[in-house]
Amino acid sequence: SGSVLMREVFDCYHALCAGRPVSLPPTRPYRDYIDWLQQEDSAAAETFWRAELKGFLAPTPLGIGRPLSTATDGVTFYGKEQLQLSAALTSSLTAFARRHHLTLNTVVQGAYALLLSRYSRQEEILFGITVSGRPPTLAGSEEMVGLSINTLPLLVNVPPTLPLVMWLKQLQARQIAIQKYHYP
């Protein structure tokens, strides 16, 4: 809702600078989102998530949490890496996604899942995906001001022999399936 809030702040600012009265369109109150949440079937969601995560008992180990060196007097150093994809590579990834009826989000999450699988040396990994949490069935929820995001656990199987596009399509189908129970 940050963009909605900032748009309203700038609309107010511009109106005041121009000597015009401030006039903001009405928006759906956040209370409606809370009401919507309370109407959702929490028992069905719990049943779904218990079945979805059944048998998964431990976090995905990365094997990279060890100190870099003992010569640092016990101090561990961490860095930050930033990578910006070129316009050509971005276009290529977007074209790949379109050609195979995938979202770019699925392609990126697939790459992340492959990376986690490789580092952990496990075929089944778990990581969180952030969803907007704004239900399409609640008209006007896109314009509400208030927190509605949620992080869902995505359990991914990375079989070594399945062709990449087929695996990405399965990953996208799984993402769609868990969206039904995106509420907290």
Side-chain angles (χ1 to χ4, degrees), residues 28 50 61 104 118 151 167 169 174 177:
R28 189 154 200 166
R50 285 189 183 279
L104 192 53
R118 183 177 182 117
T151 302
W167 176 73
K169 288 184 179 203
R174 183 174 213 106

Side-chain angles (χ1 to χ4, degrees), residues 99-112:
R99 185 170 53 252
H100 297 290
H101 307 285
L102 298 164
T103 64
L104 192 53
N105 183 53
T106 297
V107 174
V108 170
Q109 288 183 353
Y112 187 60

